[in-house]
Amino acid sequence: MNTSFFGEMLQTIAERGRALLDRTRNGRERRDRRETAEQRSASLVELCEELLSGRGEASGVALAREILTRYAELTTDPRIAFFEALAAGFGPDHARLDAAIAAWRALPSDTTAADLHQASEPRRQELFRRLNLAPGGTAALVRMREQLIDALDHREDLAAVDAAFNHLFASWFNRGFLVLRRIDWSSPAIVLEKIIRYEAVHRIRGWDDLRRRIDPPDRRCYAFFHPALVDDPLIFVEVALTTETPAAIAPILTVQRNVIEPDKATTAVFYSISNCQRGLSGVSFGHFLIKQVVEEIAREHPKLSNFVTLSPAAGFAEWLKRERADEASKVLNAADRAALANLDIPGWWQTETTREGVEEPLLRAAARYFLHARTKGGAPLDAVARFHLGNGARLERLNWLADGSERAMAQAHGLMVNYLYILDDIEKNHEAYAQQRTVVASKAVTALARAPARDVAPAGG
């Protein structure tokens, strides 16, 4: 698909439509400079109503572009006011909905059902569709939703606007529209720059570090792209080809390591998965990405038989802190609390005296965290666990002091996790998780969760 051609065509339509719009533009611009925050958002809402009222294609595209341009100039307060207007004034048309309900009750049929479905749709969804006609409209709407997400932390009344975005993005970013591309040193510089910027798990420290991750024959990077967001990845995964399941991140990221020939590798390690577009939160690409990358690598290197992750556990330290503070905790006993008190000593992991005694109770607590800690909805508390278990992986191994970075020590006390993708079991594991929220785990992890103090099962198995 020649996306630049269609982009230029939309741009031309927008320019012609601008000439068709009769709006005394200069007078409006002078007035805009005197408007308050509320007035700026109100005038933007007027333009949205105008866009929904129906115009020709050219003028509609031009108006959509003007709305998005003016929205991008809003500061926080008028932006929130605009979201409030979308929540309060762009729901379903009540008169139309009442009429559709009456028609369905009088004569239930496919036709009246379809009319009722259309009438129940919030007007904000159609508004977003029309805004998407503008050149760069999809990217602008993704940014708009990112700003909405920031507001949602303390404005639950805006949830209906977010629901409209979610509904549309789930269709617009359907797997059928996504393109998997391998990222290597020959990829466009603009894409490589974004890989550096978007890396969310293990920071990429400049171009040399990036090259070490994507250029050697035993390293891979794959990303999903969407035609509407040219050269802007949606999600990417970094892969290391190794001869064994890794228990720490340092040997993978180190500058001084022995590069292996791909045909000698037995294991593909997914050690970093980064979502790039915060505005697309809740739209799942990851399970498609993992599945397709596994298929791609297995096709290229048939000798690979082991597909594992080396994953962070960002919420573990906070959960353990709560358990340590809870005198009635069913996870920790008095001896555990005494041993884990060393976690409060700065740099505790750097000396044997403060490190001693922490490993055993910490790993037992971690096993219980991954197997039993749940959200209110009954899903595993750990977000990364939800992702991989939902994709059909098995919780394979807990790795003590696997990441010594400042962030990993603060978030997980250095703990990292291996999730194992056994190709023949993926569907079965996925179904068990989807239907009963079952955490499929290795015997080593389940034994850890059951083990009493100083009776820890060895990793593996």
Side-chain angles (χ1 to χ4, degrees), residues 197-217:
R197 185 196 320 160
Y198 290 142
E199 165 58 56
V201 184
H202 304 291
R203 178 186 169 195
I204 299 177
R205 302 176 186 277
W207 290 97
D208 290 341
D209 193 13
L210 174 65
R211 187 163 193 169
R212 285 190 291 270
R213 299 198 194 189
I214 65 174
D215 199 35

Side-chain angles (χ1 to χ4, degrees), residues 55 80 94 174 211 217 223 242 272 311 368 374 405 409 438 450:
R55 280 180 168 271
I80 297 297
H94 290 181
N174 181 282
R211 187 163 193 169
T242 68
S272 180
S311 301
R368 293 186 176 106
R374 303 287 172 143
S405 67
M409 296 308 301
T438 301
R450 293 193 301 266

Side-chain angles (χ1 to χ4, degrees), residues 87 95 103 175 225 235 243 245 278 303-304 311 324 334-335:
R175 170 63 189 94
F225 292 83
I235 185 173
T243 57
T245 298
R278 187 160 168 264
K303 292 183 179 179
L304 290 174
S311 301
R324 290 174 58 201

